[in-house]
Amino acid sequence: MLQDRFGRVHDYLRLSLVDKCNLRCTYCMPENIRFLPNKHLLSDEELFAFAETFVEMGVKKIRFTGGEPLLRRNAGAIMERIARLPVQLALTTNGILLHEFTDLFGEIGLRNINVSLDTLQTERFAEITRRDQFQQVRENIERAGRAGFHLKINVVVTRGVNEDELLDFVALTASERIHVRFIEFMPFDGNRWKWDQVCSYREMMARIEDRYTVKKLQDGPNSTAKAYRVSGFAGTFAVISSVTQPFCGTCNRIRLTADGKLRNCLFATQETDLLTPFRTGEDIRPRIVEAIRGKAKELGGLPAFQDESALQQKLDGRAMVKIGG
C-alpha cells in the first residue's frame, strides 16, 4: 500500500504513454514545444513492467493518458497486455483516433473514457486546438456512446474563451447518458495562466442554476468532481474546482510521465526519476515509496494561486502535455 505522511492511500495511477499530441490546445501545449526522442521514453516492455510494479504495490486503477495516448505506437498492444493485470482501466483522449480502438476496448474491458472537448463550435474548436478536427471528435463521441462506453466530456473553462457555452454543454446531458465535467483553468508552464481567466466553481454553478433546477449527487470518496444532475436529465454534469476549492485531502492519484518520472501531484514542483535507475537494474520500489511519502499536503507545495508572480517562479518547466493530465 502506498501511503503518504497525511494518511492518503494512493491506488490510482495515471500512466502517460506518449508526450506528443495531434492537437495544439493553447492551455496545454506551448508554442515551439520540443518532444523527446523515443529512446528517452518508456519502451513497451518498460511500460508493462512499471504498470505491473505499481499494481503489486497496491494500485487498483490505471488511466492511460498522454499527450494523446492513442498516438503511441503499439498503443493497443500495450493496453491489451496491461489489461491482463488485476486492475481497472480507463482512458483520457482527445477523441480523434477513438474509432480505431473501440472494438479493442470492448474486448479488454476498458469501459471508462474521458474525451477532452472545450467547445461545441467548429470555428472555436479550431482556435483553441489550432487544428480542424471538430467533426471527427463529435462523431467519435457519438459512436462511443452508442457502443455503451461510460463517457465523460472534459471541458476546461476559461474566461473570455468558452464560459458562454456552459449551458450548451449541460444541455447535452438532457437525453444522453453522458457526463460533462467542467474544469477550472489551471496554471502550467507556458500556458500564460492568469487568475482573472479562471471561471470559478461558484460562478459556473450560478450560471447553470439560473437556468436549471439541479440536484447534488453523492460524490465518491476520492472524487475530484462535484457532481450534479438537472432534474429529469439522463446524464450528469460536474465541476472540478482545482483552483478555487482544491480537493487535496482525499487525493489518491499518482502520475508517471512518458519519460519515466513519477509525479506525486499534478502541481508537483519536483518529480522522481524512475526510468534511469530501472535501466541500470535498481529496484525502483523504494524510490516510489519515498516519493509518495514526500507528497506535499496540498497543491504540490505551490504558493497560493492568487499570488501570480510567486506561482510563475515555481512552475517547473513541464507543460500540461508533458505531465499526462
Side-chain angles (χ1 to χ4, degrees), residues 70-86:
L70 301 184
L71 278 179
R72 169 86 186 211
R73 181 184 59 82
N74 294 333
I78 292 167
M79 295 179 187
E80 186 175 12
R81 187 174 180 187
I82 292 177
R84 299 170 192 166
L85 299 172

Side-chain angles (χ1 to χ4, degrees), residues 172-238:
L172 289 181
T173 70
S175 58
E176 300 180 49
R177 293 188 180 278
I178 203 164
H179 309 278
V180 174
R181 304 198 309 174
F182 299 116
I183 305 171
E184 293 178 343
F185 180 39
M186 294 178 284
F188 293 100
D189 190 69
N191 72 355
R192 301 177 183 176
W193 182 91
K194 296 291 184 182
W195 178 260
D196 60 11
Q197 293 175 299
V198 176
C199 186
S200 72
Y201 162 54
R202 290 186 180 278
E203 181 178 347
M204 291 187 216
M205 289 305 303
R207 289 184 179 223
I208 294 168
E209 290 178 316
D210 188 52
R211 169 74 64 87
Y212 295 112
T213 299
V214 305
K215 176 183 178 181
K216 181 72 182 73
L217 303 178
Q218 181 65 47
D219 300 322
N222 302 108
S223 177
T224 61
K226 301 173 179 67
Y228 297 84
R229 186 190 304 275
V230 175
S231 298
F233 280 21
T236 67
F237 74 92

